[in-house]
């Protein structure tokens, strides 16, 4: 049981530290906000003067804040939904998400489950909606071959990410005849063929640089395959980050305008006061420094040929702007970037605050608490039938008893 009394005292005792942090962040925010109008005049010509790891580079010229004008004419939700229909009609959108059951040492065997849910909606009057679910076991030999701890959660997370990427690649090749012309490097697909694929998360997962090399390579290999497939088929893959804690634009502004370095200020906070619902920023190219030491590579460095290929903008869908990422070849001009933004807006209006296609994929992939218990019953039965020695830790026995009593 949470000790509310102690926490109340802790808040009071640590009040000055919390207030100081907020005060210092506010001072830094004001200094950066004063420099923000200068970004309106910034274009790609500035990129050559930036250092190797500048946080971001300029991708889209012109005004930093791009207003979403259609919302001003809406009087009610019906008006908004009519706009949604005009954007999504005949447009194929898809997503894939995953869930997992981690290996549990209380059950003896290092066996995990990863389940992937895929969803595709062509937004046509015909049967353009499809979904699928697939479950995969991760067995003891796979933990051993990867040279990781036998009950490693990090390894399972990496495998889940790779399977999500593979599911998105499958969607790119399902019912499409898209591709790129080898001579012109232009898309050969039509709007009817193209599918916009949303990944629930970032295309630049910086947290993996803290992982072991062999686990990290699962992520980077999966992302290279995904970006290769997106380039080859001409189908955009879009990373949606609901709450971003990156400071790519902040870092770039520090280099361009000589602003003080900050470890407190994040990009969404910088733009929050400037964006109304549906407004977005201009697009930038990610150039993040997430190295663990000067001699180690960044995550983008490990993308090799795709190192400078991840563009992004911020768009306000809720209290703080969300981060939208996409490969640079998916949007060769502002009209294509606006199309990506409109698809995200439309998907979000359906759900109310979060892209509908992402929520559908999540619901398709989720493994419930009851299904966790079912899996372990299946595992125990399998072990019994095949004469495999299995055990259940005493603590787990008591947990199971407590659950039974609560029911």
């Amino acid at each position: 049981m949470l000790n509310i009394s102690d926490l109340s005292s802790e808040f009071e005792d640590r009040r000055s530290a919390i207030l100081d942090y907020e005060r210092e962040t506010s001072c830094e925010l004001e200094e950066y906000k004063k420099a923000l109008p200068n970004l309106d005049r910034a274009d790609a010509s500035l990129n050559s003067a930036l250092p190797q790891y500048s946080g971001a580079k300029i991708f889209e010229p012109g005004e930093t804040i791009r207003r979403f004008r259609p919302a001003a004419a809406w009087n009610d939700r019906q008006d908004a939904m009519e706009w949604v229909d005009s954007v999504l009609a005949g447009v194929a959108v898809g997503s894939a998400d995953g869930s997992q059951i981690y290996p549990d040492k209380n059950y003896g065997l290092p066996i995990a489950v990863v389940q992937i849910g895929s969803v595709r909606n062509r937004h046509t009057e015909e049967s353009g909606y499809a979904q699928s679910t697939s479950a995969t076991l991760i067995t003891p030999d796979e933990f051993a071959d990867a040279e990781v701890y036998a009950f490693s959660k990090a390894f399972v997370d990496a495998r889940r990410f790779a399977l999500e990427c593979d599911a998105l690649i499958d969607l790119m090749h399902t019912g499409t005849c898209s591709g790129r012309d080898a001579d012109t490097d232009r898309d050969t697909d039509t709007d009817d063929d193209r599918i916009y694929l949303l990944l629930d998360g970032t295309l630049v997962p910086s947290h993996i640089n803290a992982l072991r090399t062999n686990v990290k390579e699962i992520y980077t290999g999966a992302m290279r395959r995904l970006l290769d497939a997106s380039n080859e088929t001409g189908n955009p893959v879009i990373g949606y980050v609901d709450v971003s804690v990156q400071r790519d634009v902040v870092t770039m502004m520090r280099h361009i305008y000589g602003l003080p370095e900050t470890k407190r200020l994040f990009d969404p906070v910088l733009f929050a006061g400037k964006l109304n619902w549906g407004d977005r920023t201009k697009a930038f190219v990610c150039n993040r420094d997430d190295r663990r030491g000067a001699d180690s590579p960044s995550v983008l460095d490990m993308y090799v040929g795709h190192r400078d290929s991840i563009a992004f903008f911020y768009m306000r869908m809720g209290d703080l702007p969300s981060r939208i990422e996409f490969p640079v070849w998916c949007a060769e001009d502002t009209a294509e970037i606006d199309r990506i933004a409109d698809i995200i807006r439309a998907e979000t209006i359906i759900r109310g605050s979060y892209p509908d296609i992402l929520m559908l994929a999540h619901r398709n992939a989720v493994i419930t608490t009851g299904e966790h218990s079912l899996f372990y019953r299946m595992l125990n039965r399998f072990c019994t039938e095949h004469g495999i020695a299995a055990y259940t830790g005493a603590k787990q026995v008591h947990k199971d008893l407590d659950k039974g009593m609560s029911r």
Side-chain angles (χ1 to χ4, degrees):
M1 182 180 294
L2 185 64
N3 192 320
I4 301 298
S5 176
D6 280 359
L7 280 181
S8 297
S9 299
E10 281 286 292
F11 271 117
E12 188 62 31
D13 293 344
R14 307 293 180 92
R15 179 177 55 181
S16 61
I18 297 171
L19 293 177
D20 287 346
Y21 180 88
E22 174 62 22
R23 189 178 302 112
E24 291 166 6
T25 302
S26 297
C27 291
E28 292 176 347
L29 176 61
E30 288 305 312
E31 193 162 357
Y32 273 78
K33 283 170 65 174
K34 288 177 182 178
L36 202 53
N38 296 329
L39 273 183
D40 291 347
R41 299 184 293 276
D43 57 31
S45 64
L46 290 174
N47 292 340
S48 59
L50 291 171
Q52 183 178 4
Y53 299 100
S54 59
K57 296 179 181 179
I58 302 295
F59 182 56
E60 194 177 12
E63 293 182 347
T64 304
I65 305 301
R66 310 295 172 98
R67 298 298 178 193
F68 179 57
R69 308 295 182 187
W74 298 343
N75 295 314
D76 50 32
R77 180 166 175 78
Q78 182 177 347
D79 290 343
M81 290 305 299
E82 288 177 358
W83 180 85
V84 169
D85 290 341
S86 71
V87 170
L88 293 181
V91 175
V93 180
S95 182
D97 199 6
S99 58
Q100 69 287 315
I101 300 175
Y102 292 117
D104 189 337
K105 63 183 181 180
N106 288 300
Y107 290 95
L109 286 174
I111 294 179
V113 178
V114 173
Q115 179 160 282
I116 303 297
S118 300
V119 178
R120 183 196 69 210
N121 191 345
R122 295 194 179 282
H123 296 103
T124 58
E125 293 182 1
E126 298 79 20
S127 56
Y129 181 86
Q131 64 181 28
S132 64
T133 303
S134 62
T136 302
L137 283 181
I138 302 177
T139 51
D141 60 308
E142 295 177 88
F143 288 95
D145 291 345
E147 298 181 340
V148 296
Y149 171 54
F151 296 91
S152 170
K153 291 184 177 181
F155 178 66
V156 176
D157 289 339
R159 289 288 304 277
R160 166 184 161 172
F161 180 81
L163 288 169
E164 289 174 354
C165 291
D166 290 343
L168 291 174
I169 294 171
D170 288 343
L171 286 171
M172 291 180 190
H173 295 288
T174 302
T176 66
C177 54
S178 54
R180 296 180 74 85
D181 186 283
D183 296 324
T184 64
D185 195 37
R186 303 281 294 184
D187 295 345
T188 60
D189 62 337
T190 66
D191 286 344
D192 290 338
D193 297 322
R194 174 176 285 191
I195 181 169
Y196 292 83
L197 294 164
L198 272 67
L199 175 69
D200 190 0
T202 179
L203 302 182
V204 189
S206 290
H207 74 278
I208 70 173
N209 242 348
L211 302 175
R212 294 178 52 145
T213 299
N214 51 348
V215 177
K216 188 176 359 182
E217 287 174 351
I218 297 173
Y219 283 94
T220 56
M223 186 54 68
R224 288 195 299 269
R225 291 195 305 273
L226 181 61
L227 294 173
D228 282 342
S230 176
N231 189 20
E232 291 165 4
T233 64
N235 293 309
V237 56
I238 303 165
Y240 183 86
V241 186
D242 184 34
V243 179
S244 174
V245 291
Q246 300 303 333
R247 54 173 65 92
D248 297 337
V249 177
V250 167
T251 302
M252 182 190 69
M253 290 179 65
R254 173 169 64 86
H255 289 297
I256 294 176
Y257 305 118
L259 295 167
E261 185 173 5
T262 173
K263 297 296 184 183
R264 303 180 183 87
L265 189 58
F266 303 117
D267 290 348
V269 176
L270 174 64
F271 291 118
K274 302 293 183 179
L275 300 173
N276 300 318
W277 188 96
D279 293 345
R280 72 170 178 90
T281 67
K282 70 197 312 182
F284 307 89
V285 174
C286 189
N287 190 31
R288 186 182 307 148
D289 185 4
D290 51 22
R291 294 171 296 166
R292 298 283 168 150
D295 297 329
S296 65
S298 70
V299 169
L300 285 168
D301 289 336
M302 290 181 275
Y303 286 7
V304 194
H306 300 306
R307 192 224 181 271
D308 298 308
S309 298
I310 308 300
F312 68 94
F313 58 83
Y314 290 95
M315 186 162 65
R316 188 161 190 171
M317 300 282 98
D319 290 341
L320 283 176
S322 299
R323 181 179 172 113
I324 318 299
E325 301 174 342
F326 55 94
V328 295
W329 57 78
C330 294
E332 297 175 348
D333 55 32
T334 292
E336 282 299 311
I337 300 173
D338 282 336
R339 184 170 176 80
I340 290 173
D342 279 347
I343 289 171
I344 299 297
R345 292 180 184 115
E347 284 288 334
T348 302
I349 289 171
I350 295 171
R351 179 62 52 181
S353 60
Y354 196 77
D356 181 63
I357 198 74
L358 290 179
M359 188 57 68
L360 290 173
H362 169 74
R363 288 180 175 177
N364 208 26
V366 70
I367 302 173
T368 66
T369 301
E371 289 167 337
H372 278 242
S373 300
L374 174 61
F375 164 70
Y376 284 112
R377 290 197 299 272
M378 292 175 66
L379 177 60
N380 286 332
R381 187 185 309 118
F382 178 86
C383 291
T384 301
E385 290 174 351
H386 293 82
I388 299 172
Y391 61 85
T392 303
K395 184 177 181 180
Q396 186 61 43
V397 171
H398 284 285
K399 284 184 177 179
D400 293 340
L401 286 173
D402 288 342
K403 289 179 183 177
M405 293 174 65
S406 65
R407 287 196 292 267

